[in-house]
Amino acid sequence: MVQRHGDEQSHVMEREPLLSGTAQPDSDYHACHSISEEDTGNGVLKPVPEEDEEQSIGRGETESVKDNAHVNVLKIISVMLLGIFVAQCDGSILMATHAIIASEFNALKDSSWLIISFSLAGAATQTLYGKLSDIYGRKRMVIIAYTMFMVGCAIVGVGQTMWQVVLGRIVSGAGASGMSALVSVLITDLLPLREVAQWRAYVNLVATLGRSIGGPLGGWLADVIGWRWSFLGQVPPITLAIILCSAYLPSHTSTVDEQDAAATDLLKKSKFSRIDFKGAFLFAALVLAVLLPIELGGVSIPWSHPLIFTLLGASAILFALFVAVEKRQAEPILPLDIFHSKDAILSFFILGFQTAAQLGMMFSVPLYFQVTSNPRPSATVAGAHLVPAVVGNAIGGIISGSVIKRSGRYKSLVIWAVTCSSIGYLLLMLRWHGNTNWFESLYIFPGGFGMGVASSALFISLQMVIDPAHMAPAVSFMYLMQTVWMTIGLPAANAIMQTVLRRKLGVRLLELGYDSAEVAKIISDAVSDVDFIDGATEKVRNAVVKSYIDGLWWSHAFSFSCSIIALVLAVFLKQRRLDGHKSKP
């Protein structure tokens, strides 16, 4: 529904992106209206006017209408939770099995491409879903995303070569990028703004459960019946999810005021002709040109390789071309108006720095316990130390949604969240120097908790300043920013740790009397395999462990720095009222 305020308050036009196949770019939006769904099958959502409600029906009937609306929203969102759960399981399954998969094809050195291909495909297609769902409707794009993910899993499961499996991961990544983003867009379409964060927290809880189960499940399946069934086994539940979405997600309808000539002309245009193909191609190329150097540099090729500089130079050219093209498009794939709001840009960057900080921590924690514990734990046990952060993330999202619903305040939550995260990272720097007890192992909880609170609050911050006609691409771009900063955070934390580790270990080995050739050999062995510690002499082992601790200290410092930057940016956010309408930027 679109409701124009001020002088045109009486002018009402039904505009719900979920339901209408079109977006009305020049319409205002009453974001916090109550809704009831009289006919879910036909996809008709009837807005309940807040001012006239008490005049026409009693309080008891009003509550009944609101309860019915929530039941219908719950039904619509619930059918998508199965897909969210499976998609999040998939990522953890791959992390547990990528080495096994690549080894079957004698391509262990290329195992990283199973992860890189998925993330790059997702990043390149992320923003497409938002705009295409405005044009073709949410339901159709949800089904397309699920279908692509299912086909990709099937290709991986039956692949006979390494690059067939990589192709499957590309297809899966292109589908998975739309699955999570479109759920958030649907929630935004259907719910009053005060309730959006709380419902997204429930979705995040399901996603967290999927991430937690995926790794152990994938490892168990690989050991018992083979890794292929880790992916073929995802096909039946995703097929069921497609059937449920087809049956229960509302179809689109729209009614447009005949006096709104611009909206009427927009509806008459061919849907296909409205797709910004040039912008989509340039943006996908831009994302790949930015992320490929980050993914490949220092791993597959050295940072000094000419390809790194070529891609970075190409990204600058592609960015200029993309901006020039989008300025001339009637319906750009990524509306540049999104970036006219200071708070929108701040929200993107705060979430980005928080994501990089948490990924740096998630990288360092298992490695820390593998290196410092004696006897050294298995990778599974070391990874279990991440559970407090994962639990904190889920709890933080739920609390954040509840507080926003009751108080309508989100800026203070963002500041509190990044402060909490910063304290957690600072505790790691101060206390994690080896021999960490069970209580101090919980210091990662604040980092995860702060991320959960911040992600929910920043989603509301974005909604408060974005034109509703641009909400779907804006939400997709927010998810893209998370992907980009994940890609930045992990390599950055690893590079910092490796640099300090090599330098400190070299100094310690020279002090122990080893010559330069022996030092180089020991450093090479120590940084390539943590199992080296088990067979090393006591002096060398102590030198390696202390050097790892030094390197990981700087990794925590990276997370702390990112969180402090996010805290500074959060101060400049503006608190707007969640009082029944969106504040204009």
Side-chain angles (χ1 to χ4, degrees):
M1 167 186 173
V2 173
Q3 181 170 335
R4 300 181 188 277
H5 296 280
D7 296 336
E8 302 180 55
Q9 190 168 0
S10 62
H11 175 78
V12 177
M13 179 174 65
E14 190 173 320
R15 183 268 184 194
E16 193 68 57
L18 166 64
L19 309 174
S20 67
T22 64
Q24 314 300 336
D26 55 352
S27 62
D28 200 353
Y29 184 63
H30 192 266
C32 297
H33 57 280
S34 299
I35 59 172
S36 66
E37 187 169 341
E38 296 179 358
D39 188 350
T40 302
N42 293 329
V44 180
L45 294 182
K46 299 292 187 183
V48 181
E50 294 181 357
E51 294 180 355
D52 300 332
E53 211 169 38
E54 294 184 1
Q55 299 173 8
S56 60
I57 58 177
R59 180 179 298 273
E61 293 180 31
T62 304
E63 293 302 321
S64 177
V65 169
K66 290 182 179 179
D67 290 343
N68 184 54
H70 281 83
V71 169
N72 287 323
V73 172
L74 176 62
K75 179 170 62 177
I76 293 169
I77 300 302
S78 294
V79 300
M80 301 188 68
L81 294 182
L82 178 58
I84 293 293
F85 177 82
V86 174
Q88 295 298 320
C89 270
D90 176 85
S92 297
I93 286 172
L94 187 71
M95 294 298 291
T97 60
H98 69 93
I100 299 172
I101 297 171
S103 297
E104 180 171 315
F105 301 109
N106 296 317
L108 185 58
K109 63 182 178 63
D110 297 320
S111 67
S112 61
W113 278 103
L114 295 170
I115 301 171
I116 293 173
S117 60
F118 184 89
S119 62
L120 290 179
T125 58
Q126 185 79 72
T127 55
L128 289 174
Y129 283 99
K131 189 59 184 178
L132 290 179
S133 70
D134 279 343
I135 296 174
Y136 288 100
R138 311 287 194 238
K139 178 177 180 177
R140 184 175 298 178
M141 294 312 301
V142 166
I143 293 173
I144 288 174
Y146 279 37
T147 302
M148 291 183 67
F149 181 82
M150 179 189 67
V151 170
C153 289
I155 293 174
V156 172
V158 301
Q160 298 301 306
T161 67
M162 178 65 173
W163 296 110
Q164 287 177 359
V165 174
V166 170
L167 174 63
R169 295 305 296 168
I170 292 173
V171 177
S172 291
S177 64
M179 294 168 72
S180 297
L182 289 176
V183 172
S184 291
V185 175
L186 275 164
I187 293 173
T188 303
D189 288 339
L190 296 171
L191 286 165
L193 191 54
R194 282 179 181 263
E195 300 185 26
V196 167
Q198 189 171 42
W199 282 72
R200 285 188 76 250
Y202 299 148
V203 174
N204 186 53
L205 186 61
V206 173
T208 300
L209 182 62
R211 287 193 297 270
S212 302
I213 292 176
L217 177 63
W220 179 78
L221 289 173
D223 291 338
V224 177
I225 56 177
W227 64 265
R228 294 181 183 276
W229 287 101
S230 298
F231 299 94
L232 291 174
Q234 297 179 52
V235 173
I238 290 297
T239 302
L240 176 60
I242 292 172
I243 295 171
L244 291 173
C245 289
S246 300
Y248 291 106
L249 259 64
S251 302
H252 59 76
T253 63
S254 81
T255 55
V256 179
D257 193 313
E258 293 180 357
Q259 296 178 355
D260 196 330
T264 303
D265 291 341
L266 188 61
L267 285 176
K268 292 180 179 179
K269 290 178 64 178
S270 163
K271 290 181 179 180
F272 187 77
S273 67
R274 293 171 57 196
I275 302 175
D276 176 16
F277 287 105
K278 288 187 291 185
F281 173 78
L282 287 172
F283 190 75
L286 170 61
V287 170
L288 292 175
V290 171
L291 294 185
L292 269 175
I294 299 173
E295 293 279 12
L296 300 178
V299 180
S300 300
I301 56 177
W303 284 105
S304 58
H305 195 281
L307 180 61
I308 299 293
F309 299 102
T310 300
L311 288 170
L312 293 177
S315 68
I317 297 172
L318 288 168
F319 175 76
L321 289 173
F322 175 73
V323 171
V325 167
E326 295 302 270
K327 284 182 177 180
R328 294 175 172 82
Q329 291 293 323
E331 291 189 74
I333 199 72
L334 182 64
L336 300 182
D337 289 349
I338 292 172
F339 306 102
H340 291 174
S341 167
K342 180 195 72 174
D343 276 15
I345 295 174
L346 287 173
S347 297
F348 291 141
F349 275 98
I350 293 169
L351 183 61
F353 279 110
Q354 278 291 91
T355 300
Q358 189 177 47
L359 261 290
M361 179 188 72
M362 300 291 273
F363 155 78
S364 66
V365 169
L367 183 58
Y368 173 83
F369 284 100
Q370 277 192 299
V371 169
T372 61
S373 299
N374 191 13
R376 196 163 59 84
S378 65
T380 302
V381 173
H385 284 281
L386 290 172
V387 170
V390 175
V391 172
N393 189 283
I395 294 175
I398 293 173
I399 292 177
S400 180
S402 179
V403 171
I404 291 173
K405 182 178 179 179
R406 291 199 315 270
S407 68
R409 306 193 67 83
Y410 56 87
K411 176 181 176 178
S412 56
L413 278 175
V414 175
I415 294 176
W416 181 58
V418 293
T419 301
C420 182
S421 296
S422 300
I423 292 172
Y425 303 136
L426 181 61
L427 287 173
L428 298 183
M429 296 169 63
L430 295 175
R431 301 297 302 166
W432 277 27
H433 300 296
N435 301 316
T436 300
N437 58 42
W438 71 269
F439 177 79
E440 291 188 323
S441 70
L442 300 179
Y443 287 166
I444 64 172
F445 179 87
F449 181 80
M451 183 66 189
V453 172
S455 60
S456 294
L458 289 167
F459 189 82
I460 300 301
S461 172
L462 177 68
Q463 286 193 77
M464 291 300 296
V465 297
I466 293 297
D467 186 335
H470 299 154
M471 184 54 64
V475 170
S476 294
F477 186 77
M478 176 169 268
Y479 276 88
L480 172 62
M481 286 296 286
Q482 282 192 285
T483 301
V484 169
W485 283 89
M486 285 179 185
T487 307
I488 293 173
L490 190 58
N494 184 42
I496 291 170
M497 188 278 295
Q498 291 274 354
T499 300
V500 176
L501 166 62
R502 291 173 181 272
R503 182 168 58 85
K504 292 288 187 177
L505 182 55
V507 172
R508 288 189 171 99
L509 291 175
L510 289 174
E511 290 176 350
L512 291 175
Y514 290 94
D515 60 37
S516 58
E518 291 173 320
V519 168
K521 178 67 168 57
I522 293 173
I523 291 176
S524 176
D525 292 341
V527 300
S528 61
D529 186 2
V530 292
D531 291 337
F532 169 80
I533 297 174
D534 294 336
T537 63
E538 184 177 354
K539 289 183 178 180
V540 172
R541 181 187 183 282
N542 290 337
V544 172
V545 170
K546 289 179 181 179
S547 299
Y548 261 106
I549 291 173
D550 290 339
L552 291 169
W553 187 93
W554 282 100
S555 176
H556 301 323
F558 166 77
S559 295
F560 178 72
S561 300
C562 288
S563 196
I564 288 295
I565 294 172
L567 177 59
V568 173
L569 295 177
V571 172
F572 295 97
L573 278 176
K574 183 177 180 180
Q575 171 70 44
R576 290 173 166 82
R577 294 176 60 193
L578 278 69
D579 59 355
H581 68 277
K582 280 195 176 181
S583 303
K584 300 301 291 181

